[in-house]
C-alpha cells in the first residue's frame, strides 16, 4: 500500500499493512516500514482511498483541501477567542 499524503515522511513509499484499528480520530491503518517500525495512518492518506476531488481538479497545485482550510479557520477563531478571554 502506498502513502499518498504529500507531507508524510513515508510519502510515495509502498509498505505492507499489518493491521487496522479504530481510535478517537477514526479508522487507522498500521503500516510497517523496512526498519520494522509500525506507522499508524488514516486510510485516506494511502492509495486505498479514492483521491480527493480538490486534489484531482487542482492537479496537485493546492496544499490544502477546502475542508482543511475551513477547519484551520475554525481553529484560529477558537484560539483567538481563548487568547482574548
Amino acid at each position: 500500500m502506498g502513502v499518498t499524503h504529500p507531507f508524510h515522511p513515508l510519502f510515495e513509499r509502498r509498505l505492507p499493512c499489518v493491521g487496522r484499528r479504530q481510535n478517537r480520530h477514526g479508522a487507522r491503518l498500521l503500516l510497517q516500514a523496512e526498519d520494522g517500525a509500525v506507522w499508524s495512518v488514516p486510510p485516506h492518506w494511502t492509495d486505498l482511498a479514492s483521491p480527493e476531488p480538490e486534489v484531482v481538479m487542482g492537479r496537485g497545485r493546492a496544499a490544502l483541501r477546502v475542508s482543511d482550510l475551513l477547519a484551520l479557520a475554525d481553529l484560529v477563531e477558537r484560539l483567538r477567542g481563548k487568547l482574548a478571554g
Side-chain angles (χ1 to χ4, degrees):
M1 165 169 322
V3 176
T4 58
H5 191 284
F7 302 115
H8 195 280
L10 300 175
F11 178 59
E12 293 187 333
R13 292 185 42 202
R14 302 219 37 94
L15 304 170
C17 181
V18 296
R20 296 171 185 259
R21 70 175 186 187
Q22 194 79 15
N23 67 19
R24 65 182 180 175
H25 302 294
R28 306 294 282 189
L29 299 175
L30 303 175
L31 306 180
Q32 189 166 24
E34 296 83 7
D35 64 0
V38 175
W39 293 71
S40 171
V41 298
H44 63 273
W45 287 7
T46 70
D47 56 10
L48 181 66
S50 300
E52 297 285 339
E54 291 95 337
V55 174
V56 173
M57 291 171 44
R59 297 187 191 140
R61 293 183 301 243
L64 298 171
R65 300 169 299 167
V66 172
S67 59
D68 295 329
L69 292 171
L70 291 173
L72 178 60
D74 181 57
L75 175 62
V76 168
E77 196 61 35
R78 285 186 287 138
L79 292 174
R80 182 179 294 151
K82 285 183 180 182
L83 291 174

